Amino acid sequence: MRVSTPAALALLGGAPAVPREARRVEWPVVTEADRDAVVEVLASGRFVSTSPSATEVDRLEQEWARFTGARHCVAVSSGTAALALGLAAAGVEPGAEVLVPALTFAATGLAALHQLAVPVFVDIDPRTFTIDAGAAAAAITERTRAIAPVHLHGLPADMGPLRELAAAHDLRVVEDAAQSHGAVYGRTQTGAIGDAGAFSLNVSKNLPTCGEGGLLTTSDEALYERALAMRQFGETIQPGAEREYRSACLGWNYKLSTIQAAFTRSQLRRFPAYQAAREANVRTFLDAVRDLPGLVAPGVPADRTHAWHMIRLRLDAAAAGLEGVRPAAFREAVRRALRAEGAAVSRYQSMPLCDQEVFRRREGFGRGYPWTIASAGAGAGDRFPRTREVLEDSLTIQRTHLSPAGAPLMARYAEAFQKVWSHLDVIAEMARSR
Ligand SMILES: *Cc1c(COP(=O)(O)O)cnc(C)c1O
């Protein structure tokens, strides 16, 4: 019988577990149908969504509303625009406070600032990485007007308790669904749970366009009407009628181009198949690594589904048998070893949002606005212990698993993890010497 000794770590000169030629990831996947859809728009000469007859933008809005189960959809120029528009149309005013999880992409906090509202950060549930409902309750003041839960990495936040909280305190709920296309909480898709939902169509997201774009969903008629006007300079344009160029409220130019709408409509046809393939890619990978000691695979509560925009893995040095190794040092050693093996693990967010300069130094609009309007402020210092803990001891996999053809690459990733785990003594030494 052959006794196999573990192959040398690539970090120490061994052959990488993921061969160079196997590392290419195609995302977004662009097909002939996508190209045809774009070329058709070019041939039609109708590039903007304000034409009196239905355009690709109108069709995408109808299809996305139907897909999510929301009554309406307003297509916009980015996910950030969708968030800002959602908050504005929901009536968030200057000086208001908006509850935002401390672990998210900067745009969630910036969208509040765009309304001259103050993002008030809230710690996360360390198992789901989404806003903690109990901590959200504790952060409510008389100025709180809205909650912006983020379905981070594609897992819906715990929307039941959040909606109860919102009902009890008369708060609007604007979901940041930029990473959660198609994910379900209870029986409802993200984007159709709160008062409004903001999706991103950025090329990196699960439902991409060929560039930048966003979709705002809502079942609230008044919010919908306001969002429509605000997207377009505050104008109301009657379908089939000529544009009058009269602004009735503060508006922006947040429109989506018809080219980008056509591309996303074409992608949407394949979205369910891609989502199923992605789910399989992730399951296979997680099943292969979940028993590695000290590796904590993401949990999916029974009442929701995961869109798997990213995979966040927590690392527990003590459970891996490495006593006295600091979490950040362990994570860093594992990250370096995996990357040398060709597995592109990375950190997603390196600090709680409150520590980013714009929020920490209260740059905003200058002279402390909008913080000086409101009495309260975004917290800083050593608060948000759960967020900090997660940021310190976890790594993410991004993009690699998104492609429906990603199964072989994810199998290689699993091998890279197994290989690194067969050299935990080396990893521990690296971690201790830092
Ligand atoms: C991508 C993203 C956004 C912003 O979307 P853009 O389309 O890039 O403007 C907002 N929130 C989260 C959580 C995101 O991942």
PDB file of all heavy atoms in Angstrom, residues 260-277:
ATOM      1  N   GLN A 260     -28.269  48.644 -21.571  1.00  0.00           N
ATOM      2  CA  GLN A 260     -28.021  47.865 -20.367  1.00  0.00           C
ATOM      3  C   GLN A 260     -29.238  47.067 -19.922  1.00  0.00           C
ATOM      4  O   GLN A 260     -29.115  45.952 -19.433  1.00  0.00           O
ATOM      5  CB  GLN A 260     -27.476  48.774 -19.284  1.00  0.00           C
ATOM      6  CG  GLN A 260     -26.030  49.040 -19.649  1.00  0.00           C
ATOM      7  CD  GLN A 260     -25.395  50.125 -18.861  1.00  0.00           C
ATOM      8  OE1 GLN A 260     -26.025  51.126 -18.562  1.00  0.00           O
ATOM      9  NE2 GLN A 260     -24.156  49.934 -18.533  1.00  0.00           N
ATOM     10  N   ALA A 261     -30.422  47.641 -20.148  1.00  0.00           N
ATOM     11  CA  ALA A 261     -31.643  46.907 -19.820  1.00  0.00           C
ATOM     12  C   ALA A 261     -31.775  45.671 -20.708  1.00  0.00           C
ATOM     13  O   ALA A 261     -32.123  44.586 -20.227  1.00  0.00           O
ATOM     14  CB  ALA A 261     -32.860  47.816 -19.991  1.00  0.00           C
ATOM     15  N   ALA A 262     -31.458  45.817 -21.987  1.00  0.00           N
ATOM     16  CA  ALA A 262     -31.580  44.685 -22.917  1.00  0.00           C
ATOM     17  C   ALA A 262     -30.612  43.568 -22.529  1.00  0.00           C
ATOM     18  O   ALA A 262     -30.961  42.383 -22.556  1.00  0.00           O
ATOM     19  CB  ALA A 262     -31.311  45.149 -24.344  1.00  0.00           C
ATOM     20  N   PHE A 263     -29.410  43.951 -22.136  1.00  0.00           N
ATOM     21  CA  PHE A 263     -28.405  42.953 -21.731  1.00  0.00           C
ATOM     22  C   PHE A 263     -28.906  42.183 -20.507  1.00  0.00           C
ATOM     23  O   PHE A 263     -28.844  40.959 -20.447  1.00  0.00           O
ATOM     24  CB  PHE A 263     -27.079  43.654 -21.433  1.00  0.00           C
ATOM     25  CG  PHE A 263     -25.953  42.725 -21.082  1.00  0.00           C
ATOM     26  CD1 PHE A 263     -25.104  42.252 -22.064  1.00  0.00           C
ATOM     27  CD2 PHE A 263     -25.740  42.342 -19.762  1.00  0.00           C
ATOM     28  CE1 PHE A 263     -24.049  41.393 -21.741  1.00  0.00           C
ATOM     29  CE2 PHE A 263     -24.698  41.482 -19.427  1.00  0.00           C
ATOM     30  CZ  PHE A 263     -23.845  41.008 -20.419  1.00  0.00           C
ATOM     31  N   THR A 264     -29.432  42.921 -19.522  1.00  0.00           N
ATOM     32  CA  THR A 264     -29.894  42.259 -18.301  1.00  0.00           C
ATOM     33  C   THR A 264     -31.139  41.398 -18.558  1.00  0.00           C
ATOM     34  O   THR A 264     -31.282  40.323 -17.986  1.00  0.00           O
ATOM     35  CB  THR A 264     -30.175  43.302 -17.198  1.00  0.00           C
ATOM     36  OG1 THR A 264     -28.947  43.954 -16.878  1.00  0.00           O
ATOM     37  CG2 THR A 264     -30.728  42.652 -15.946  1.00  0.00           C
ATOM     38  N   ARG A 265     -32.029  41.863 -19.449  1.00  0.00           N
ATOM     39  CA  ARG A 265     -33.207  41.036 -19.788  1.00  0.00           C
ATOM     40  C   ARG A 265     -32.750  39.697 -20.363  1.00  0.00           C
ATOM     41  O   ARG A 265     -33.313  38.649 -20.054  1.00  0.00           O
ATOM     42  CB  ARG A 265     -34.075  41.739 -20.828  1.00  0.00           C
ATOM     43  CG  ARG A 265     -34.906  42.869 -20.290  1.00  0.00           C
ATOM     44  CD  ARG A 265     -35.888  43.325 -21.351  1.00  0.00           C
ATOM     45  NE  ARG A 265     -36.921  42.332 -21.580  1.00  0.00           N
ATOM     46  CZ  ARG A 265     -37.507  42.106 -22.749  1.00  0.00           C
ATOM     47  NH1 ARG A 265     -37.151  42.791 -23.824  1.00  0.00           N
ATOM     48  NH2 ARG A 265     -38.446  41.189 -22.857  1.00  0.00           N
ATOM     49  N   SER A 266     -31.730  39.755 -21.189  1.00  0.00           N
ATOM     50  CA  SER A 266     -31.213  38.524 -21.784  1.00  0.00           C
ATOM     51  C   SER A 266     -30.595  37.632 -20.695  1.00  0.00           C
ATOM     52  O   SER A 266     -30.808  36.417 -20.675  1.00  0.00           O
ATOM     53  CB  SER A 266     -30.191  38.886 -22.872  1.00  0.00           C
ATOM     54  OG  SER A 266     -29.666  37.735 -23.465  1.00  0.00           O
ATOM     55  N   GLN A 267     -29.865  38.241 -19.765  1.00  0.00           N
ATOM     56  CA  GLN A 267     -29.285  37.492 -18.640  1.00  0.00           C
ATOM     57  C   GLN A 267     -30.367  36.892 -17.748  1.00  0.00           C
ATOM     58  O   GLN A 267     -30.214  35.790 -17.229  1.00  0.00           O
ATOM     59  CB  GLN A 267     -28.413  38.423 -17.786  1.00  0.00           C
ATOM     60  CG  GLN A 267     -27.113  38.867 -18.441  1.00  0.00           C
ATOM     61  CD  GLN A 267     -25.983  37.862 -18.245  1.00  0.00           C
ATOM     62  OE1 GLN A 267     -25.962  37.132 -17.249  1.00  0.00           O
ATOM     63  NE2 GLN A 267     -25.067  37.818 -19.187  1.00  0.00           N
ATOM     64  N   LEU A 268     -31.447  37.639 -17.574  1.00  0.00           N
ATOM     65  CA  LEU A 268     -32.526  37.203 -16.670  1.00  0.00           C
ATOM     66  C   LEU A 268     -33.144  35.880 -17.138  1.00  0.00           C
ATOM     67  O   LEU A 268     -33.566  35.068 -16.325  1.00  0.00           O
ATOM     68  CB  LEU A 268     -33.586  38.316 -16.564  1.00  0.00           C
ATOM     69  CG  LEU A 268     -34.759  38.097 -15.614  1.00  0.00           C
ATOM     70  CD1 LEU A 268     -34.291  37.725 -14.208  1.00  0.00           C
ATOM     71  CD2 LEU A 268     -35.646  39.342 -15.566  1.00  0.00           C
ATOM     72  N   ARG A 269     -33.165  35.668 -18.453  1.00  0.00           N
ATOM     73  CA  ARG A 269     -33.719  34.409 -18.967  1.00  0.00           C
ATOM     74  C   ARG A 269     -32.920  33.213 -18.448  1.00  0.00           C
ATOM     75  O   ARG A 269     -33.462  32.137 -18.253  1.00  0.00           O
ATOM     76  CB  ARG A 269     -33.704  34.406 -20.497  1.00  0.00           C
ATOM     77  CG  ARG A 269     -34.661  35.418 -21.037  1.00  0.00           C
ATOM     78  CD  ARG A 269     -34.961  35.266 -22.512  1.00  0.00           C
ATOM     79  NE  ARG A 269     -35.766  36.426 -22.864  1.00  0.00           N
ATOM     80  CZ  ARG A 269     -35.297  37.494 -23.513  1.00  0.00           C
ATOM     81  NH1 ARG A 269     -34.068  37.506 -23.969  1.00  0.00           N
ATOM     82  NH2 ARG A 269     -36.077  38.521 -23.730  1.00  0.00           N
ATOM     83  N   ARG A 270     -31.629  33.399 -18.261  1.00  0.00           N
ATOM     84  CA  ARG A 270     -30.789  32.276 -17.815  1.00  0.00           C
ATOM     85  C   ARG A 270     -30.570  32.284 -16.304  1.00  0.00           C
ATOM     86  O   ARG A 270     -29.927  31.394 -15.759  1.00  0.00           O
ATOM     87  CB  ARG A 270     -29.420  32.336 -18.524  1.00  0.00           C
ATOM     88  CG  ARG A 270     -29.529  32.390 -20.031  1.00  0.00           C
ATOM     89  CD  ARG A 270     -28.203  32.097 -20.701  1.00  0.00           C
ATOM     90  NE  ARG A 270     -27.131  33.001 -20.321  1.00  0.00           N
ATOM     91  CZ  ARG A 270     -26.931  34.219 -20.858  1.00  0.00           C
ATOM     92  NH1 ARG A 270     -27.740  34.680 -21.785  1.00  0.00           N
ATOM     93  NH2 ARG A 270     -25.925  34.960 -20.442  1.00  0.00           N
ATOM     94  N   PHE A 271     -31.102  33.322 -15.634  1.00  0.00           N
ATOM     95  CA  PHE A 271     -30.826  33.477 -14.201  1.00  0.00           C
ATOM     96  C   PHE A 271     -31.221  32.246 -13.367  1.00  0.00           C
ATOM     97  O   PHE A 271     -30.421  31.776 -12.549  1.00  0.00           O
ATOM     98  CB  PHE A 271     -31.491  34.752 -13.661  1.00  0.00           C
ATOM     99  CG  PHE A 271     -31.219  34.979 -12.206  1.00  0.00           C
ATOM    100  CD1 PHE A 271     -30.045  35.586 -11.783  1.00  0.00           C
ATOM    101  CD2 PHE A 271     -32.130  34.562 -11.240  1.00  0.00           C
ATOM    102  CE1 PHE A 271     -29.783  35.768 -10.429  1.00  0.00           C
ATOM    103  CE2 PHE A 271     -31.877  34.736  -9.888  1.00  0.00           C
ATOM    104  CZ  PHE A 271     -30.707  35.350  -9.481  1.00  0.00           C
ATOM    105  N   PRO A 272     -32.433  31.689 -13.541  1.00  0.00           N
ATOM    106  CA  PRO A 272     -32.781  30.527 -12.706  1.00  0.00           C
ATOM    107  C   PRO A 272     -31.823  29.347 -12.899  1.00  0.00           C
ATOM    108  O   PRO A 272     -31.432  28.696 -11.929  1.00  0.00           O
ATOM    109  CB  PRO A 272     -34.204  30.179 -13.168  1.00  0.00           C
ATOM    110  CG  PRO A 272     -34.742  31.467 -13.725  1.00  0.00           C
ATOM    111  CD  PRO A 272     -33.564  32.128 -14.376  1.00  0.00           C
ATOM    112  N   ALA A 273     -31.417  29.110 -14.136  1.00  0.00           N
ATOM    113  CA  ALA A 273     -30.477  28.007 -14.406  1.00  0.00           C
ATOM    114  C   ALA A 273     -29.116  28.306 -13.776  1.00  0.00           C
ATOM    115  O   ALA A 273     -28.487  27.422 -13.179  1.00  0.00           O
ATOM    116  CB  ALA A 273     -30.331  27.796 -15.909  1.00  0.00           C
ATOM    117  N   TYR A 274     -28.678  29.551 -13.884  1.00  0.00           N
ATOM    118  CA  TYR A 274     -27.390  29.924 -13.294  1.00  0.00           C
ATOM    119  C   TYR A 274     -27.440  29.798 -11.782  1.00  0.00           C
ATOM    120  O   TYR A 274     -26.481  29.378 -11.137  1.00  0.00           O
ATOM    121  CB  TYR A 274     -27.020  31.368 -13.664  1.00  0.00           C
ATOM    122  CG  TYR A 274     -26.475  31.533 -15.071  1.00  0.00           C
ATOM    123  CD1 TYR A 274     -26.575  30.511 -16.007  1.00  0.00           C
ATOM    124  CD2 TYR A 274     -25.852  32.714 -15.456  1.00  0.00           C
ATOM    125  CE1 TYR A 274     -26.086  30.668 -17.293  1.00  0.00           C
ATOM    126  CE2 TYR A 274     -25.349  32.881 -16.731  1.00  0.00           C
ATOM    127  CZ  TYR A 274     -25.467  31.862 -17.652  1.00  0.00           C
ATOM    128  OH  TYR A 274     -24.975  32.033 -18.906  1.00  0.00           O
ATOM    129  N   GLN A 275     -28.568  30.219 -11.212  1.00  0.00           N
ATOM    130  CA  GLN A 275     -28.698  30.175  -9.759  1.00  0.00           C
ATOM    131  C   GLN A 275     -28.627  28.719  -9.270  1.00  0.00           C
ATOM    132  O   GLN A 275     -27.978  28.427  -8.267  1.00  0.00           O
ATOM    133  CB  GLN A 275     -30.010  30.842  -9.317  1.00  0.00           C
ATOM    134  CG  GLN A 275     -30.254  30.864  -7.821  1.00  0.00           C
ATOM    135  CD  GLN A 275     -29.145  31.561  -7.019  1.00  0.00           C
ATOM    136  OE1 GLN A 275     -28.480  32.459  -7.524  1.00  0.00           O
ATOM    137  NE2 GLN A 275     -28.919  31.115  -5.798  1.00  0.00           N
ATOM    138  N   ALA A 276     -29.279  27.822 -10.013  1.00  0.00           N
ATOM    139  CA  ALA A 276     -29.261  26.397  -9.628  1.00  0.00           C
ATOM    140  C   ALA A 276     -27.839  25.846  -9.725  1.00  0.00           C
ATOM    141  O   ALA A 276     -27.383  25.104  -8.844  1.00  0.00           O
ATOM    142  CB  ALA A 276     -30.218  25.598 -10.519  1.00  0.00           C
ATOM    143  N   ALA A 277     -27.127  26.208 -10.786  1.00  0.00           N
ATOM    144  CA  ALA A 277     -25.752  25.727 -10.967  1.00  0.00           C
ATOM    145  C   ALA A 277     -24.844  26.274  -9.863  1.00  0.00           C
ATOM    146  O   ALA A 277     -23.993  25.567  -9.317  1.00  0.00           O
ATOM    147  CB  ALA A 277     -25.229  26.145 -12.334  1.00  0.00           C
TER     148      ALA A 277
END
